[in-house]
Amino acid sequence: MKKLLLSALFSGLLLTLTAQEVSYEEYDLDNGLHVILHQDNSAPVVTTSVMYHVGGKDRTEGRTGFAHLFEHLLFEGTKNIEKGKWFEIVSSRGGTNNANTSQDRTYYYEVFPSNNLELGLWMESERMLHPIINQDGVDTQQEVVKEEKRLRYDNSPYGQILPVLRQALFEKHPYKDPNIGYMEDLDAATLEDVIAYNKKYYVPNNAVLVVAGDIDIAKTKKMVADYFGPIPRGEEIVRSYPKEDPIISEVKSKAYDKNIQIPASIVAYRTPGYGTRDAYVLDMISAYLSDGKSSKLYKKLVDDQKQALQVGAFNIGQEDYGMYIVFSLPVGETTLETLVTEIEEEIEAVRSGLISENDYQKLQNKFENRFVNSNSSIQGIAGSLATYYMLYDDTSLINKEIDIYRSITRAEMRAVAEKYLKPNQRVVIDYLPEEKMEN
């Protein structure tokens, strides 16, 4: 027992010592570009990144998927970067780069040896100021997106789960449509549509630039001003998305997937968006239910009762609404209805009682560990700084978000489960193998 206590104390001390505060400086250029600088001279590496406040939800009916298309399109080339040379330039200087798009934002980044900081800033300023957008590039990237859709969604086992969930949870808000968009919308898009989208969203006052790593602050500020200062400010973006009506009675549906043999049960709830305290509490509830083999759902359904091959509870964060999802795969003759019943039993236990003090302490340790790991690399810090500023409207969360998790009580977990995770507020989807037609 004494050894266990010492081990626990040592682990807690280690987390405290490792979770060092991330220093940063932030300011705005005259054109509205928000800039965040983080200096860490411990290794000769620098990350340059730009996050645009544009994602899958930023579209009009009949023109879905534009943000994801632009994720690809803005690598095509610029006035000063030849078509197809972007990745070659980065790799030839010892760097790596990538981009990704969600329903709420698009993120581009480069990681370079620090003597190539100026190159990274120039390339991102080129992407913002001088992109070449023509019919050839649009046609090329439309085909790339179609192939990605076929690979990740159409021909991948369980690849349609998120699109099916979105349509079940949302009727009005653009979250109802897939981030990748509908192919008929991309096919119907004109070059004028695409150019107008770029002019509206890919502007400095709709973006944050993060430079993190082995930098000199004064010199970096000068380069930022030189490369990004002359970029014209765009029109102010006004967003007004429709609100969803509350789900007040259980919704049941079925979906079919030609790529699977084992059916799946999906139980989902519409929850609050990023930054709300309730969303943080739901993170803890999902970890309690399914994070690791000792979690309640895994131990019960997979280990003890042998009813599920796999089970997981996920709080998928988004800016306007979140999605709380419990996914499970049955074993043998276990029915999907049985899985739903067993899962509800565990959720009901959270709604009606307090989790044990021991389980609560395990959760706190998990979130401490996550917090430390999220800030363990320059690349991770850059992404966190951009995200906290853009989607949470509070850059300082990079240092104090863990305090929110620490302050969540067991009683609060019970109250939030009772508020959002009731049977009359859920969508239940039987996700089934598509039966092959007989000849």
Side-chain angles (χ1 to χ4, degrees):
M1 178 62 72
K2 188 174 181 180
K3 287 183 178 179
L4 288 174
L5 287 172
L6 287 172
S7 177
L9 287 170
F10 179 75
S11 297
L13 178 62
L14 184 62
L15 285 169
T16 303
L17 292 174
T18 308
Q20 297 181 3
E21 184 168 307
V22 175
S23 61
Y24 61 90
E25 182 176 347
E26 57 184 332
Y27 60 96
D28 291 320
L29 298 184
D30 291 342
N31 59 12
L33 178 68
H34 193 72
V35 182
I36 306 176
L37 306 180
H38 165 66
Q39 184 177 15
D40 180 345
N41 303 117
S42 60
V45 177
V46 65
T47 295
T48 56
S49 65
V50 176
M51 183 176 285
Y52 293 92
H53 199 179
V54 57
K57 72 179 182 187
D58 296 296
R59 86 294 185 278
T60 56
E61 292 296 332
R63 293 294 182 270
T64 60
F66 271 34
H68 181 260
L69 174 66
F70 265 86
E71 176 196 322
H72 296 271
L73 188 60
L74 292 185
F75 283 106
E76 276 284 295
T78 74
K79 280 186 180 180
N80 299 299
I81 299 176
E82 186 181 342
K83 177 180 171 67
K85 294 294 184 180
W86 187 286
F87 292 94
E88 182 180 317
I89 292 171
V90 173
S91 61
S92 68
R93 300 296 184 91
T96 60
N97 72 141
N98 213 330
N100 52 72
T101 308
S102 75
Q103 288 279 3
D104 302 304
R105 93 295 179 272
T106 304
Y107 185 56
Y108 297 92
Y109 66 91
E110 295 81 32
V111 181
F112 276 117
S114 52
N115 60 353
N116 285 300
L117 167 60
E118 188 169 6
L119 174 62
L121 292 172
W122 173 73
M123 293 183 78
E124 286 301 335
S125 69
E126 277 288 300
R127 196 197 307 269
M128 189 180 292
L129 180 60
H130 293 137
I132 298 296
I133 300 174
N134 54 33
Q135 193 62 57
D136 179 59
V138 172
D139 291 344
T140 298
Q141 295 308 323
Q142 281 177 334
E143 291 306 312
V144 171
V145 170
K146 288 178 183 178
E147 182 57 30
E148 181 179 343
K149 182 177 183 295
R150 285 190 285 267
L151 181 66
R152 293 177 54 192
Y153 296 91
D154 299 343
N155 298 319
S156 177
Y158 308 99
Q160 292 298 323
I161 282 180
L162 276 178
V164 165
L165 269 171
R166 292 189 178 283
Q167 290 184 349
L169 283 175
F170 301 101
E171 295 181 358
K172 303 175 183 178
H173 193 282
Y175 286 158
K176 66 187 174 64
D177 298 320
N179 184 38
I180 201 168
Y182 300 109
M183 292 306 101
E184 58 267 27
D185 291 351
L186 292 174
D187 286 339
T190 66
L191 181 60
E192 290 73 23
D193 291 333
V194 176
I195 290 172
Y197 195 85
N198 179 76
K199 183 178 179 181
K200 180 176 182 178
Y201 290 109
Y202 296 84
V203 291
N205 47 303
N206 194 46
V208 55
L209 166 69
V210 180
V211 186
D214 183 25
I215 62 174
D216 177 281
I217 295 291
K219 291 179 180 178
T220 302
K221 284 185 174 180
K222 174 67 166 56
M223 286 186 277
V224 167
D226 289 345
Y227 287 113
F228 290 89
I231 302 175
R233 185 185 189 98
E235 296 291 329
E236 292 304 312
I237 297 169
V238 178
R239 292 177 171 87
S240 181
Y241 298 117
K243 303 291 186 183
E244 290 287 341
D245 297 323
I247 299 172
I248 57 175
S249 60
E250 182 184 72
V251 178
K252 289 187 175 182
S253 65
K254 294 181 180 181
Y256 296 89
D257 188 333
K258 65 182 180 181
N259 302 302
I260 66 172
Q261 294 181 323
I262 300 172
S265 171
I266 305 164
V267 181
Y269 311 80
R270 193 190 309 137
T271 54
Y274 284 131
T276 60
R277 185 172 176 86
D278 285 352
Y280 286 106
V281 180
L282 287 162
D283 283 344
M284 292 195 76
I285 294 172
S286 67
Y288 170 74
L289 289 174
S290 75
D291 185 6
K293 293 187 176 181
S294 64
S295 62
K296 297 302 176 183
L297 287 176
Y298 189 95
K299 190 171 188 310
K300 174 184 179 180
L301 295 178
V302 178
D303 282 351
D304 294 345
Q305 299 179 184
K306 306 284 190 295
Q307 292 173 310
L309 287 171
Q310 183 179 337
V311 62
F314 310 96
N315 186 35
I316 299 180
Q318 298 175 137
E319 191 170 20
D320 300 333
Y321 295 100
M323 301 188 299
Y324 194 93
I325 300 162
V326 186
F327 170 86
S328 56
L329 299 176
V331 168
E333 300 301 315
T334 304
T335 65
L336 298 184
E337 184 178 5
T338 296
L339 291 179
V340 172
T341 300
E342 296 291 346
I343 287 166
E344 165 56 21
E345 185 177 280
E346 292 304 313
I347 295 175
E348 196 278 332
V350 181
R351 291 198 307 265
S352 61
L354 297 179
I355 70 171
S356 72
E357 181 64 33
N358 182 58
D359 285 335
Y360 176 74
Q361 290 303 324
K362 284 167 59 180
L363 279 176
Q364 288 292 338
N365 291 339
K366 283 182 180 180
F367 280 88
E368 290 270 4
N369 191 49
R370 288 185 190 180
F371 177 71
V372 170
N373 289 337
S374 68
N375 294 337
S376 63
S377 71
I378 294 298
Q379 186 176 330
I381 288 172
S384 293
L385 287 167
T387 299
Y388 287 131
Y389 168 76
M390 183 69 75
L391 300 180
Y392 292 75
D393 198 30
D394 186 358
T395 314
S396 69
L397 284 171
I398 195 164
N399 291 314
K400 67 183 186 182
E401 187 178 55
I402 188 59
D403 295 330
I404 299 174
Y405 289 113
R406 287 170 178 155
S407 69
I408 293 169
T409 65
R410 294 184 294 156
E412 197 170 6
M413 291 176 65
R414 178 179 60 192
V416 168
E418 172 64 21
K419 187 175 181 180
Y420 298 105
L421 306 181
K422 292 189 288 191
N424 67 307
Q425 296 169 309
R426 71 188 183 188
V427 170
V428 178
I429 302 171
D430 291 348
Y431 193 84
L432 305 170
E434 186 175 286
E435 295 183 7
K436 296 180 180 179
M437 300 293 293
E438 296 289 341
N439 290 329

